[in-house]
Amino acid sequence: MKILSIQSAVAYGHVGNSAAVFPLQRIGVEVLPVYTVNFSNHTGYGAWRGPMISPDDVRDVITGIEERGVLGQIDVVLSGYQGGEGIADVILDAVGRVKAANPDAVYACDPVMGNATSGCFVAPAIPQLLRDRVVPAADIITPNQFELGYLTATEPHTLESTLASVDAARALGPRTVLVTSVQRPDRPADTIEMLAVDDAGAWIVQTPMLPLKANGSGDVTAALFTAHYRATGSASEALARSTSSVYDLLERTHQSGERELQLVEAQESYAHPRMQFEVTQVR
């Protein structure tokens, strides 16, 4: 499997491609990373250095890849956080070029906008751009519950309302939706869930909620779920595998006391997930 991953990069820590590439490689995926920024660290520190890469330069890198004749070998285009408005056009153009070369390729979009705690933390134009242009072009999307609500102008809260919101999101275009960080009111205390839905059904998995803020964990989740789903065609299997891997990554990070994901240290969790959480079909 080959994945063209168009995301940010940091020298210190693990977000964007700096979070997604190694876990994908560890499960045997060939990744072609294309960077949208090249920062010293993620912006959660409040200070960082390094350039945003212009949309023209990002497009130029993709054109260079195309000139090597490999777009027909790409199985997935993956995108995450979009720092500026212009990068969406580059990503959509890349998706079009890849699908023209390989009609079986899919586009997986993590529509990063914000979360219930912080609200939106992207440029003001990005949420509408994602909703109106990017998400309708995607085959797979991986929003959190807050992002799902924005995309569909709904209020996902209970399992039933979250499923209804997923149906509204699928009506926009993507056939497969992974909802991360589902927090329904009737769940057991100190737990969190993820929900995966495709044409075959809907599945939910519950894990303990660890007391940490882990920048980049969503990038790892989106990457692993997408790869496992593409490999198996099973949303339940992809959900089980990615949940197991990401939970063990987060647990190891929490135990370390470090702020940054212990991405390398947790590598066996990607290659050999313990499959310790039960996935339940809910529809």
Side-chain angles (χ1 to χ4, degrees), residues 238-273:
L239 181 62
R241 287 183 173 276
S242 53
T243 300
S244 174
S245 298
V246 173
Y247 181 81
D248 283 351
L249 165 63
L250 292 176
E251 186 173 51
R252 182 178 285 265
T253 300
H254 178 56
Q255 291 171 349
S256 75
E258 298 289 335
R259 176 170 180 172
E260 294 292 342
L261 292 176
Q262 300 300 288
L263 195 80
V264 175
E265 292 81 354
Q267 62 182 283
E268 286 303 309
S269 300
Y270 324 135
H272 306 291

Side-chain angles (χ1 to χ4, degrees), residues 8-15 18 37-42 49-50 260:
S8 59
V10 294
Y12 172 71
H14 303 287
V15 299
S18 301
V37 308
N38 188 15
F39 287 167
S40 56
N41 51 270
H42 67 70
R49 293 179 182 271
E260 294 292 342

Side-chain angles (χ1 to χ4, degrees), residues 5-10 13-24 42 78-82 109-112 121 142 147 178 180 214-227 242 246 249-250 260-261 263:
S5 182
I6 308 170
Q7 300 195 58
S8 59
V10 294
H14 303 287
V15 299
N17 268 333
S18 301
V21 171
F22 177 67
L24 288 172
H42 67 70
L78 174 65
S79 71
Y81 172 77
Q82 298 186 20
C109 170
D110 186 6
V112 178
F121 50 64
T142 58
E147 292 159 346
L178 173 69
T180 63
N215 295 88
S217 58
D219 303 319
V220 178
T221 302
L224 288 176
F225 177 84
T226 297
S242 53
V246 173
L249 165 63
L250 292 176
E260 294 292 342
L261 292 176
L263 195 80

Side-chain angles (χ1 to χ4, degrees), residues 19-229:
V21 171
F22 177 67
L24 288 172
Q25 291 172 330
R26 195 63 181 83
I27 64 172
V29 175
E30 182 74 33
V31 188
L32 287 72
V34 175
Y35 302 137
T36 56
V37 308
N38 188 15
F39 287 167
S40 56
N41 51 270
H42 67 70
T43 59
Y45 286 94
W48 65 94
R49 293 179 182 271
M52 292 188 68
I53 300 173
S54 76
D56 286 343
D57 286 340
V58 177
R59 191 190 306 271
D60 205 34
V61 171
I62 295 168
T63 298
I65 294 170
E66 183 177 38
E67 290 169 349
R68 303 287 72 76
V70 298
L71 291 194
Q73 302 170 25
I74 301 295
D75 299 290
V76 179
V77 179
L78 174 65
S79 71
Y81 172 77
Q82 298 186 20
E85 298 175 49
I87 200 66
D89 289 329
V90 176
I91 291 169
L92 292 174
D93 178 65
V95 170
R97 291 200 237 175
V98 168
K99 288 192 171 188
N102 177 14
D104 291 329
V106 299
Y107 171 37
C109 170
D110 186 6
V112 178
M113 304 177 203
N115 55 57
T117 302
S118 306
C120 276
F121 50 64
V122 296
I126 296 296
Q128 185 174 347
L129 179 64
L130 287 168
R131 182 191 63 202
D132 295 345
R133 295 190 55 217
V134 180
V135 165
D139 301 287
I140 302 167
I141 59 171
T142 58
N144 60 35
Q145 205 168 15
F146 171 84
E147 292 159 346
L148 176 66
Y150 180 88
L151 290 171
T152 57
T154 61
E155 295 185 3
H157 190 49
T158 64
L159 177 58
E160 292 73 21
S161 63
T162 302
L163 284 167
S165 297
V166 169
D167 289 340
R170 295 178 75 229
L172 296 174
R175 302 310 304 160
T176 304
V177 178
L178 173 69
V179 188
T180 63
S181 306
V182 175
Q183 300 184 53
R184 52 181 170 144
D186 57 344
R187 75 190 192 283
D190 300 319
T191 64
I192 194 165
E193 295 168 317
M194 289 202 294
L195 174 72
V197 182
D198 68 0
D199 290 339
W203 293 266
I204 200 164
V205 64
Q206 185 178 95
T207 73
M209 181 186 288
L210 295 168
L212 78 165
K213 179 181 179 182
N215 295 88
S217 58
D219 303 319
V220 178
T221 302
L224 288 176
F225 177 84
T226 297
H228 287 311
Y229 185 69

